[in-house]
Amino acid sequence: MAYSKKVVDHYENPRNVGSFGSSTEVGERSDIGVGIVGAPECGDVMQLQIKVGDDGVIEDAKFKCFGCGSAIASSSLATEWIKGRTVDDALNVKNTEIVEELSLPPVKIHCSVLAEDSIRSAIADYKKKNGVETETKAHSH
Amino acid sequence: MSIDRPIYMDNASTTRTDPRVVEAMLPYFTEIYGNSASRNHSFGWDAEEAVTIARGQAAALIGAGPKEIIWTSGATESNNLAIKGAARMHAKAPAGSTGRGHIITATHEHKAVLDPCKRLEREGFDVTYLEPPSDGIITRKMVEGAMREDTILVTVMWANNEIGTINEVPEIGALCHERGALMHTDATQWVGKMPTNVESDNIDLMSFSSHKLYGPNGVGALYVRRRRPRVRIEAMLDGGGHERGMRSGTLNVSGIVGFGKACELCSEEMAEDAERLFKLRTRMENELSAALDVVAVNGHPDRRLPHLTNISFGFVEGESLMMGIGNIACSSGSACTSASLEPSYVLKALGVGDELAHSSLRLSLGRWTTEEEVDTATRGIIKAVKHLRSMSPLYDLHNEGIDISTINWQSH
């Protein structure tokens, strides 16, 4: 399969790869939301961590990804797109925009869906930790 | 030193045609272009003679007689012809009824064996699919346990195409002869690489293919035993009665000449090739295991083909790994590299967990693989695995001492 230039670029130079600490450490911090979506047996797991300021703006985001090149690129792109946005605004990132930006072929659309889910999941975790009610629903797929 | 041009490590998929083979084929396109079935002119006689020589070369490689070689289009056709042809010929009840006879095979066979078996099930035959143990080896004992009064055919591959493991084929063949069943083996990955003798190895039907042994694509052969027992099979292609009525169709003379030449070269060179490639593969596996943790060679550690390795790199997904080693041509058990979304059914049959199946590479060396290529590929794989593990949330969990199989993942 041929990859788009943007996918290759994110694969080779992933943006914001990393984490804000071990799973236990980030679990205890209320300024950090963690989303882990996917499953190893399906061949994709995405982990997105967001660091949110008092004003509700996502100051920083870090990802880790076990998956194909398109999955890595989707999660790398997601971190770029949500940084600097408020948590509510970040929920507007749509998987279709990721598909378009990375020129993902139809068999790789699930990678973009997973990236969108990781954003929703990280924000839901942040809101839960801070006692904010949320109706975020993950895609069923 | 490193190599920039692509490195070919997918010889289990297909091999480069040996230039000596191409040279042998060329006159049969433009000079000796007769139909080998034309009995009335020298063009036909010359073509027939070339086919006869090739038949001898293929037969010599496997210890058979020349009349026991049936030319086909490749191993898929050979497998179909052997399995369906033998079952239908030896059916214990007429078409349209059930209980027509019993066949034994294994779940990690090639699809070109499994799919004909499934079709025969729909036609009223019973099929037992043996489940391999984690080392991947099908033993005589396992087949013996599945044998029935009405077992007509056992089809067990000689060496597995994904993991290279070697089944107990001569022993299973002996069992078949004791019980009056026919023994077929898909020897596509075996013949031309390892010594083969259909007499001492107790084979009745054997499929093999030209393009896996440095010959051209589109030619294969089915060995059909003629004595003790004389094996009869029902043809699939009816027509001019070529190949003693078992496979009609004008022969692919140039391809057959090339296949024959390739067989001859393998007879002369395979022992040396195998020894050299075994050393290279061992070097590669040792260096990968020394440089990286959580590396697992799939299948039996010793009882496997010398030129092939199937190796899983934990916490790294296969397709992204192949992307990272873009100049190394190989295969992966990852779902993402196939049309289906399932990881390798062969690795699953061995009980390899899905996440490790997704993390596997099959590297298969060949006649032109150099030490320099092996070293470059090894370094490239190590670099790519490290890059991907630096991004892998699963590797982090592993390093935190968390067993990822205990996590309740949300499947999608």
Side-chain angles (χ1 to χ4, degrees):
Chain A
M1 181 180 307
Y3 299 95
S4 70
K5 276 185 186 156
K6 282 180 181 165
V7 169
V8 174
D9 182 45
H10 278 283
Y11 173 87
E12 285 174 354
N13 311 293
R15 328 289 199 261
N16 308 307
V17 62
S19 63
F20 297 113
S22 73
S23 51
T24 323
E25 285 160 12
V26 295
E28 289 164 356
R29 285 178 59 176
S30 63
D31 61 331
I32 289 175
V34 180
I36 300 183
V37 295
E41 62 267 27
C42 302
D44 325 87
V45 175
M46 277 184 200
Q47 172 184 294
L48 179 68
Q49 300 185 348
I50 52 170
K51 187 164 172 284
V52 186
D54 294 337
D55 52 0
V57 172
I58 297 172
E59 292 172 352
D60 202 358
K62 297 276 187 199
F63 88 90
K64 290 232 166 180
C65 178
F66 164 85
C68 65
S70 303
I72 290 169
S74 297
S75 37
S76 171
L77 181 65
T79 60
E80 280 193 314
W81 279 1
I82 60 172
K83 270 168 79 168
R85 292 166 89 157
T86 63
V87 288
D88 289 327
D89 187 27
L91 289 171
N92 293 322
V93 172
K94 290 282 171 288
N95 84 289
T96 47
E97 299 168 319
I98 296 173
V99 170
E100 197 175 327
E101 173 68 14
L102 296 174
S103 313
L104 297 181
V107 294
K108 295 298 182 187
I109 287 173
H110 72 278
C111 299
S112 69
V113 174
L114 214 53
E116 185 187 318
D117 283 353
S118 74
I119 297 172
R120 292 175 180 279
S121 170
I123 290 171
D125 181 57
Y126 168 78
K127 288 190 170 175
K128 194 174 149 204
K129 280 176 175 173
N130 290 278
V132 182
E133 284 302 312
T134 163
E135 289 175 29
T136 311
K137 270 189 206 157
H139 284 258
S140 56
H141 51 107
Chain B
M1 232 190 104
S2 68
I3 302 170
D4 289 332
R5 64 184 162 75
I7 296 172
Y8 192 71
M9 293 202 171
D10 207 11
N11 286 278
S13 292
T14 195
T15 55
R16 176 190 179 202
T17 308
D18 193 301
R20 293 168 290 181
V21 167
V22 177
E23 200 183 334
M25 291 170 70
L26 286 175
Y28 293 90
F29 291 100
T30 52
E31 292 162 39
I32 310 160
Y33 47 81
N35 184 326
S36 59
S38 297
R39 294 287 161 83
N40 308 311
H41 52 67
S42 65
F43 295 86
W45 302 330
D46 291 348
E48 191 186 12
E49 192 193 343
V51 169
T52 303
I53 291 169
R55 217 182 280 282
Q57 290 165 322
L61 179 62
I62 61 167
K67 286 183 178 168
E68 296 176 311
I69 301 294
I70 302 297
W71 302 118
T72 67
S73 61
T76 291
E77 185 189 334
S78 299
N79 285 336
N80 272 269
L81 178 57
I83 295 166
K84 293 183 208 164
R88 289 170 186 164
M89 179 63 82
H90 297 275
K92 295 192 180 294
S97 47
T98 55
R100 299 181 69 200
H102 178 234
I103 297 161
I104 300 172
T105 187
T107 55
H108 63 331
E109 288 283 319
H110 194 276
K111 293 285 184 193
V113 165
L114 294 176
D115 287 351
C117 285
K118 283 178 194 154
R119 183 175 298 276
L120 289 171
E121 276 185 292
R122 295 196 292 273
E123 290 180 11
F125 293 88
D126 294 337
V127 181
T128 297
Y129 299 90
L130 296 171
E131 289 178 9
S134 59
D135 66 8
I137 313 289
I138 298 295
T139 63
R140 173 186 159 124
K141 205 173 171 187
M142 294 171 67
V143 175
E144 200 162 10
M147 276 274 185
R148 302 193 329 204
E149 275 295 299
D150 63 341
T151 302
I152 52 179
L153 175 70
V154 175
T155 172
V156 172
M157 71 202 318
W158 211 317
N160 184 275
N161 54 305
E162 284 193 30
I163 51 178
T165 48
I166 299 165
N167 294 319
E168 288 185 1
V169 167
E171 294 84 352
I172 296 168
L175 171 70
C176 288
H177 287 175
E178 287 162 24
R179 304 288 180 91
L182 291 174
M183 173 67 189
H184 168 252
T185 184
D186 173 3
T188 310
Q189 300 289 343
W190 175 269
V191 169
K193 314 291 168 66
M194 302 295 278
T196 309
N197 186 299
V198 289
E199 282 304 323
S200 56
D201 295 333
N202 312 306
I203 309 300
D204 296 319
L205 293 155
M206 182 172 78
S207 309
F208 58 115
S209 180
S210 162
H211 75 103
K212 304 284 195 201
L213 47 82
Y214 314 106
N217 269 292
V219 201
L222 178 65
Y223 160 77
V224 183
R225 175 177 285 279
R226 268 168 69 86
R227 287 186 305 143
R228 289 176 293 120
R230 182 185 181 89
V231 175
R232 293 182 311 134
I233 53 174
E234 191 181 290
M236 291 196 302
L237 291 180
D238 297 317
H242 306 75
E243 300 300 280
R244 297 189 292 123
M246 284 187 251
R247 203 276 191 181
S248 289
T250 298
L251 293 182
N252 169 7
V253 176
S254 56
I256 289 166
V257 166
F259 188 9
K261 181 67 181 174
C263 287
E264 183 187 79
L265 294 172
C266 286
S267 297
E268 292 162 2
E269 298 177 7
M270 67 181 176
E272 207 178 301
D273 280 346
E275 196 187 331
R276 191 179 69 84
L277 297 178
F278 175 71
K279 281 184 189 151
L280 290 180
R281 184 196 68 183
T282 306
R283 180 189 174 103
M284 191 169 200
E285 287 180 349
N286 288 346
E287 293 195 6
L288 289 170
S289 305
L292 299 165
D293 59 344
V294 202
V295 171
V297 172
N298 295 308
H300 195 283
D302 306 314
R303 203 183 155 90
R304 60 192 167 116
L305 293 173
H307 57 277
L308 186 154
T309 185
N310 187 305
I311 189 162
S312 290
F313 302 92
F315 322 114
V316 167
E317 194 276 326
E319 186 187 345
S320 61
L321 180 54
M322 289 175 80
M323 196 173 161
I325 52 167
N327 69 331
I328 306 162
C330 61
S331 298
S332 169
S334 159
C336 290
T337 60
S338 65
S340 73
L341 286 171
E342 289 289 309
S344 158
Y345 72 92
V346 171
L347 295 178
K348 281 183 88 164
L350 265 61
V352 173
D354 279 353
E355 71 278 8
L356 272 180
H358 278 294
S359 306
S360 72
L361 287 185
R362 179 189 70 177
L363 300 151
S364 44
L365 314 182
R367 192 174 276 166
W368 291 276
T369 305
T370 66
E371 191 173 312
E372 191 193 0
E373 285 179 327
V374 165
D375 289 346
T376 303
T378 305
R379 279 195 301 272
I381 293 167
I382 292 168
K383 192 178 159 203
V385 169
K386 286 185 171 167
H387 173 62
L388 290 165
R389 283 184 176 170
S390 75
M391 288 189 247
S392 170
L394 303 181
Y395 192 54
D396 283 352
L397 291 171
H398 167 74
N399 286 332
E400 285 179 31
I402 297 165
D403 180 354
I404 62 167
S405 63
T406 62
I407 295 175
N408 184 21
W409 299 99
Q410 8 160 329
S411 295
H412 58 284

